[in-house]
Structures are given as structure tokens and as C-alpha cells.
Amino acid sequence: MKVSVQSDDFDLSTEVIDISMNTRTGAVASFVGVVRDIPMTLEHYPGMTENAIKKIVEEARTRWQVLDYAVIHRYGDLQPGDQIVLVAIASSHRADAFAACQFIMDYLKTQAPFWKKEHHPEGARWVNALEADDEAAARWKSLKQPQRLVQK
Amino acid sequence: MKVKVLLFANLRERIGQSVEVVDIPDSASTVAGLRIHLMQRGGAWQEILSDMKVVRVAVNHDMAAANAPLNPGDEVAFFPPVTGG
């Protein structure tokens, strides 16, 4: 059970091992976000950002079985190829692990206070929020709550 | 009454500071009241808060609507829509 907002990098395999200790665990799904070709600086709101992520995780846990999790988001200066964000979910079955992982990423992108500033050759500019991200988060609302996917 | 105003991202850059303790009249003790109070300073303050479609507000680390009440010592943050992940 880990939520961390940090400037340091993270190691996927270490985090996956750490959340796989429960003997009921049969599936671990993870997502890693990576900086594309533009260097960036990520700003956050210390205190609120951690709380916002915890609330998103708790919402996911009302919908799906989550035995353990690690959510890590970096801030500060990041270069192309750097890891930005990790969401890793341990569950008994893959359907819950996949769904909770995607739900947390979709909500994190629209609810957690982070702001990206891209450093282009012609100058720096703040990234505008995407309507597509709002739509990705909104489609979860149409699911009946709490939603449990059928296990095979 | 005094509240702590925080700014982030482009709003912080436009104003040139990230935090300020603001004394507002008791009659302005909502998010909307604080916004109008700050806009009356004119200049960059009026510009950054004029279009609330591109501004989000949090009170004490929770997202807040315009009619949310404010109490002495509250931390009120103004920032653009988020772009993490």
C-alpha cells in the first residue's frame, strides 16, 4: 500500500515484488508513463497531490478487488525517456488488476494536481489539459457502482 | 479575516509569487467572494481569474466550487486544469 510523490526515479520490478507478497495474489498489472521527446518540468501541490491520489485509489478499491498497490508520481525536471508515473495493482485475478490500474491512471490525469511545463527549443510552455483525458475519466462514471467484473 | 492564497503553474508565473496571506472582508467569505476581491486588484490578478473555465480552486486540499464558504486560516489554491500522468 504505497502512494509516493517524489523527485527520484523508481524501479518497476522492485515495486512489483513489494506488492506481490499476499498469497492470494494471482495477478499484477502495472502502467509506466514515460517522457516523450520534449524535456519537461512537473510541478505539484505538496500535501494535496498525495491526498488526491489516495482518494482515487480508495475509490478504485470500492469497485475492484485490490490486495496491494504502488502509485508513484515524479515531479521536477524530467528528460526524454525518463519515467514519470507508475501504477501497479495486485489482485487475485487479472480483470480486477487491469481495470483498477486503468481507472487510477484515468482519474490521476484529471484529478491529481500536477502541471507539466514543456521545454521546447523555441521556449517553455505549459501543457493544456486535454478533453480526451476528461472523457477517459468520465466513462467510468457510467459504470454501475460498485462495479465488479465477472471472474472466469 | 485572513486566508492563505496559493497559486500554481501559469497562474503563479503571471503573478510572480506562489503564496500570500490575504485579508478579506467577512462579506466576501466564499471562494467567489475571494476571487472578486483578488480581481479588484486589477492587472495580472484580473486576467488570471477572469475565465474560471481554465481555473480550478481547492480549499484546504479539496476541490471547491464557487459557493464554498471560507473560514479564517483556510488555504485556498488557484490553479489551471491538471496535466499530470
Side-chain angles (χ1 to χ4, degrees):
Chain A
M1 318 279 176
K2 172 179 181 179
V3 170
S4 177
V5 179
Q6 61 190 45
S7 59
D8 290 342
D9 199 7
F10 54 81
D11 180 62
L12 172 64
S13 52
T14 302
E15 302 301 333
V16 166
I17 290 166
D18 283 351
I19 66 169
S20 304
M21 300 301 180
N22 190 314
T23 54
R24 292 163 63 208
T25 297
V28 177
S30 66
F31 173 90
V32 175
V34 176
V35 180
R36 282 185 289 265
D37 52 350
I38 307 293
M40 64 172 64
T41 304
L42 261 157
E43 182 171 331
H44 75 298
Y45 183 173
M48 180 174 175
T49 303
E50 291 85 347
N51 291 340
I53 295 173
K54 285 174 185 166
K55 281 181 199 165
I56 295 165
V57 172
E58 287 313 307
E59 173 65 26
R61 300 187 78 183
T62 68
R63 295 175 177 229
W64 301 285
Q65 183 211 46
V66 176
L67 295 173
D68 205 343
Y69 59 87
V71 180
I72 301 173
H73 203 304
R74 296 178 67 193
Y75 63 86
D77 293 327
L78 298 172
Q79 302 301 317
D82 281 354
Q83 302 184 115
I84 306 176
V85 58
L86 165 74
V87 176
I89 303 292
S91 185
S92 291
H93 302 279
R94 71 181 183 281
D96 284 50
F98 276 133
C101 186
Q102 186 166 14
F103 174 92
I104 290 169
M105 264 315 297
D106 285 349
Y107 267 81
L108 194 149
K109 285 194 82 89
T110 58
Q111 305 291 319
F114 288 99
W115 303 276
K116 285 179 183 148
K117 187 178 196 180
E118 292 180 340
H119 300 285
H120 294 265
E122 64 273 23
R125 69 163 180 260
W126 292 97
V127 174
N128 288 320
L130 293 176
E131 280 181 23
D133 289 336
D134 286 333
E135 288 161 9
R139 74 197 152 94
W140 294 98
K141 287 184 180 153
S142 62
L143 294 174
K144 286 177 186 153
Q145 299 181 42
Q147 174 80 10
R148 275 282 157 84
L149 299 180
V150 177
Q151 300 292 348
K152 292 270 164 63
Chain B
M1 90 181 173
K2 289 179 179 172
V3 297
K4 190 167 154 189
V5 173
L6 274 68
L7 302 172
F8 290 94
N10 59 326
L11 278 62
R12 171 179 54 74
E13 287 187 342
R14 291 290 304 281
I15 298 299
Q17 63 183 25
S18 59
V19 59
E20 179 185 346
V21 174
V22 178
D23 205 348
I24 54 172
D26 289 346
S27 60
S29 60
T30 62
V31 166
L34 172 63
R35 172 191 168 231
I36 290 167
H37 182 79
L38 293 170
M39 284 181 73
Q40 284 169 349
R41 293 173 166 184
W45 281 100
Q46 176 153 14
E47 287 168 25
I48 64 167
L49 299 179
S50 62
D51 183 3
M52 292 304 280
K53 285 202 293 290
V54 291
V55 178
R56 301 287 180 269
V57 186
V59 177
N60 300 328
H61 293 178
D62 281 319
M63 299 302 293
N67 62 358
L70 297 181
N71 295 298
D74 277 353
E75 183 172 301
V76 186
F78 294 90
F79 47 78
V82 305
T83 56

